[in-house]
Amino acid sequence: RQNGYRRLYGVKLALREINRTGGVAGYKIELVALNDFAQSAEAILQAQEFVIDSDVIGVIGEWDETLFAATAPVFRSAGLAVIAPARFTDFSALPPNFDTDFSALAGSPPDEQARQAYLATRALVDLIDRAAQTGRLNRAAVHSLQ
């Protein structure tokens, strides 16, 4: 849970920036967060419940490789794009004001996972935006670009 809160502010900062500039295709992007308690069975259950919501078109998956491997097939079989946040290790793409903006939002400086969350969010939204540019903003369109 503590790790989740650090990550959450990275996601929130990215979404705030994206939504301030008009979102994607005129739509605001909304965060839905679930807690899997870092347990495989719970992660799979949460993933199965998550895919029921037809408004969800993309997912930032688990940081833990084992949990990601367990849930990614659930998301992919539902046609959702899923991003592995732990793969973001090059922080050179962060905006110069990232640390300051993150600290103002979270009340503490960012750590590695907060940076990964931000970059994973931007990457997922980029996929969604590319799908929107094709005129199809749905699960299949976003998933096909991954």
Side-chain angles (χ1 to χ4, degrees), residues 52-108:
I52 293 170
D53 187 342
S54 62
D55 288 334
V56 174
I57 57 177
V59 175
I60 300 168
E62 287 81 2
W63 266 256
D64 179 87
E65 289 181 33
T66 302
L67 294 177
F68 185 84
T71 59
V74 174
F75 297 130
R76 288 185 179 125
S77 70
L80 291 169
V82 60
I83 299 280
R87 74 180 173 98
F88 294 91
T89 56
D90 177 3
F91 302 129
S92 63
L94 288 169
N97 59 329
F98 174 79
D99 285 6
T100 303
D101 291 349
F102 181 92
S103 296
L105 180 65
S108 62

Side-chain angles (χ1 to χ4, degrees), residues 4-22:
Y5 279 110
R6 285 196 310 262
R7 298 167 187 159
L8 181 65
Y9 285 110
V11 173
K12 284 184 172 188
L13 179 58
L15 292 179
R16 184 174 73 179
E17 293 170 359
I18 292 160
N19 287 332
R20 279 186 180 165
T21 60

Side-chain angles (χ1 to χ4, degrees), residues 35-46 62 64 67 70-71:
N35 187 357
D36 59 22
F37 300 100
Q39 297 176 0
S40 186
E42 184 64 25
I44 292 168
L45 177 65
Q46 292 290 338
E62 287 81 2
D64 179 87
L67 294 177
T71 59

